[in-house]
Amino acid sequence: MTIGLRAGLLAPLAVTACLVSQHAEAARLCALRDGPSGPCTCKVEGGGPGEFTTVNKSVCTKAARAKDANAAPAAAAAGQTQPAADAPATMDAAPAPPVVRTITTGATSPPTQASPAPTALPAPSEGRLQVVRERGKILCGVNTGLLGFSALAQTGEWLGLDADFCRAVAAAVFEDAKKVEFVPVETNERFEALQSGKIDLLARNTTWTMARDVDMGLEFAGVLYFDGQGFMTSDDRGLVSAQQLAGLKICVEAGTTTEQNMAYYFKAHGLEVETQTYPDRKEMLDAYASGKCDAYSGDRSALFSDRASFAEPAKHAVLPEVISKEPLGPVVAGGDRTWSEIVRWTLAGLINAEEVGLDRETAAGSGEMQGDARRLVDGAAASAEKLGLPKPWLRNVIAATGNYSEIFDANLGKQSPLGMDRGINALWKRGGIQFAPPMW
């Protein structure tokens, strides 16, 4: 029986270990996705993206099962241990890019307890758009360093999907994508920074949840990237499923939905693990690199980003399980409708522009647009005055940054260091679920 699973959350994956016959076929990606009782789910050789087949549990090869937990510490991730001779080769591994972040071995702070969620602060009394215009730039909160989303290049330029979204909002407001200042914020300080006015916009791979939207009074503009949570471990362990993490030390960033989802997953599956929490991402990655934990959990996009930035990406494996849904999107403080609508419709404009074929070259040209592209730009212009934006604001945005597809491809796609498929982030009419409300 063949089942189709969305490619964006399941491919590319870098572990292999299932033989679907008694013959010496090439090993294929597998996992016990329905728990230890099986069946084994294997990648279809020559199949399309996300195409898998289920087979009897007994055909799962034993060779790639977890070895002695003490035999292959995660220090192998730092290049200290060679993969076992019988470990299967990886598939769909992202190409190794220039190293953006260096993982160092060193002491980490003691594990911390999850921080309580910050209480909602009152929205600024003055309109955010006015504040931004008087300042002359947008203060955009981004990740301190996540390849593909927001990372500081050696040139001093911030690169990534989130960084480009910040530029898109600046192009809408100022007709100049350069009028943005990037403010790196840690996970545990991002919401306070937003609601205190330290930043105007948070574009930092943040999951949209009901508690954040309602209880904390935040305003999510939509979904910039559909993600899901997974696990990273040393490829030398030969693990093919998160079901095999029992008895191991798992690192996670404290005070995040990642920590909560992981705890729920292990409890639901009856798996006993030793959880170690760290106050920020760097300390967690340092702990993983130094062997203080055997695996760690995070959004799959972040796991692929981490792996691409490691000195030896092939020595790390992202396990197949996707244990949560993580709609990541830009956020503003609640209470300022005009500002939230500007951010929301900038995101919708990027997605709609891809749908109608309005790309950067066309938008930047001097010629008249035709068909749906013109209809989109004219529709956006009709509401420009109420948002306090210039009439050609959407054309300015696309001319500065390109549409959603162009931004995705440059930062996350096959030609980028991460080499990721669009998967479920493809447009709704191209097999994905990326969708934006109409603008005419």
Side-chain angles (χ1 to χ4, degrees):
M1 175 178 71
T2 300
I3 56 176
L5 301 178
R6 291 297 188 187
L9 296 183
L10 295 174
L13 300 169
V15 288
T16 60
C18 186
L19 300 179
V20 296
S21 77
Q22 295 179 349
H23 303 293
E25 297 187 42
R28 302 171 183 178
L29 177 68
C30 88
L32 298 171
R33 288 186 173 80
D34 293 325
S37 61
C40 185
T41 307
C42 303
K43 186 171 177 61
V44 177
E45 187 172 2
E51 188 175 354
F52 287 74
T53 185
T54 57
V55 296
N56 190 282
K57 179 183 176 184
S58 63
V59 305
C60 286
T61 178
K62 303 291 192 299
R65 298 285 175 157
K67 302 176 181 65
D68 182 353
N70 296 321
Q80 299 171 2
T81 306
Q82 294 299 319
D86 61 351
T90 58
M91 299 174 63
D92 300 325
V99 177
V100 175
R101 186 192 304 108
T102 301
I103 305 300
T104 58
T105 300
T108 60
S109 299
T112 60
Q113 297 298 319
S115 307
T119 53
L121 301 176
S125 58
E126 196 171 18
R128 181 56 48 181
L129 178 60
Q130 180 181 347
V131 172
V132 166
R133 285 223 165 104
E134 289 177 354
R135 186 194 303 123
K137 61 185 176 182
I138 295 173
L139 302 180
C140 194
V142 294
N143 198 298
T144 53
L146 185 62
L147 186 64
F149 288 84
S150 59
L152 187 62
Q154 293 181 350
T155 59
E157 181 182 12
W158 283 90
L159 304 176
L161 183 73
D162 291 337
D164 279 345
F165 180 75
C166 296
R167 294 187 178 97
V169 178
V173 173
F174 293 109
E175 300 182 85
D176 186 347
K178 295 180 180 179
K179 291 190 175 182
V180 55
E181 179 180 330
F182 295 97
V183 182
V185 289
E186 295 290 355
T187 303
N188 58 2
E189 66 182 10
R190 53 186 167 168
F191 299 130
E192 184 178 355
L194 178 65
Q195 295 183 311
S196 67
K198 178 181 178 181
I199 56 176
D200 307 307
L201 165 65
L202 178 65
R204 188 198 182 282
N205 55 298
T206 298
T207 302
W208 185 359
T209 70
M210 183 176 183
R212 290 170 176 175
D213 196 283
V214 178
D215 300 344
M216 295 176 63
L218 302 178
E219 189 77 29
F220 283 80
V223 180
L224 181 60
Y225 185 87
F226 289 95
D227 208 349
Q229 186 176 331
F231 296 92
M232 174 88 81
T233 187
S234 168
D235 190 58
D236 186 52
R237 290 186 175 277
L239 302 185
V240 299
S241 170
Q243 298 286 332
Q244 298 170 293
L245 293 172
L248 301 184
K249 297 178 181 178
I250 315 298
C251 287
V252 68
E253 201 172 350
T256 61
T257 55
T258 304
E259 182 182 14
Q260 299 169 16
N261 293 335
M262 189 180 81
Y264 182 84
Y265 174 80
F266 288 134
K267 181 178 180 180
H269 288 81
L271 301 175
E272 294 289 338
V273 303
E274 181 180 334
T275 301
Q276 297 185 357
T277 60
Y278 292 87
D280 58 56
R281 186 171 185 80
K282 183 181 183 304
E283 290 195 29
M284 179 186 69
L285 291 175
D286 286 346
Y288 172 70
S290 64
K292 293 187 177 181
C293 50
D294 305 305
Y296 73 95
S297 187
D299 291 345
R300 288 174 59 81
S301 60
L303 299 182
F304 280 105
S305 175
D306 293 339
R307 190 180 67 175
S309 67
F310 290 162
E312 298 180 276
K315 290 190 175 182
H316 308 269
V318 179
L319 298 179
E321 281 82 0
V322 181
I323 70 171
S324 72
K325 52 185 178 183
E326 305 293 334
L328 310 180
V331 198
V332 298
D336 190 330
R337 181 170 180 178
T338 297
W339 183 242
S340 65
E341 294 289 3
I342 289 172
V343 177
R344 174 176 294 111
W345 290 105
T346 297
L347 173 56
L350 294 172
I351 298 169
N352 280 315
E354 178 188 359
E355 185 174 331
V356 302
L358 175 58
D359 58 18
R360 188 172 190 172
E361 182 179 1
T362 302
S366 58
E368 289 290 328
M369 288 179 292
Q370 304 296 324
D372 285 346
R374 178 169 182 174
R375 188 183 181 195
L376 174 63
V377 170
D378 289 347
S383 299
E385 184 176 352
K386 291 183 178 179
L387 294 176
L389 300 178
K391 281 191 175 296
W393 71 269
L394 182 54
R395 185 167 185 168
N396 294 337
V397 168
I398 307 305
T401 66
N403 59 37
Y404 183 85
S405 175
E406 292 174 294
I407 295 174
F408 186 100
D409 291 345
N411 295 297
L412 304 175
K414 287 296 186 181
Q415 302 306 312
S416 75
L418 269 65
M420 299 181 71
D421 288 323
R422 280 285 294 270
I424 60 171
N425 286 286
L427 289 179
W428 60 279
K429 62 181 182 179
R430 295 176 186 163
I433 61 173
Q434 190 57 272
F435 184 95
M439 299 176 69
W440 56 65

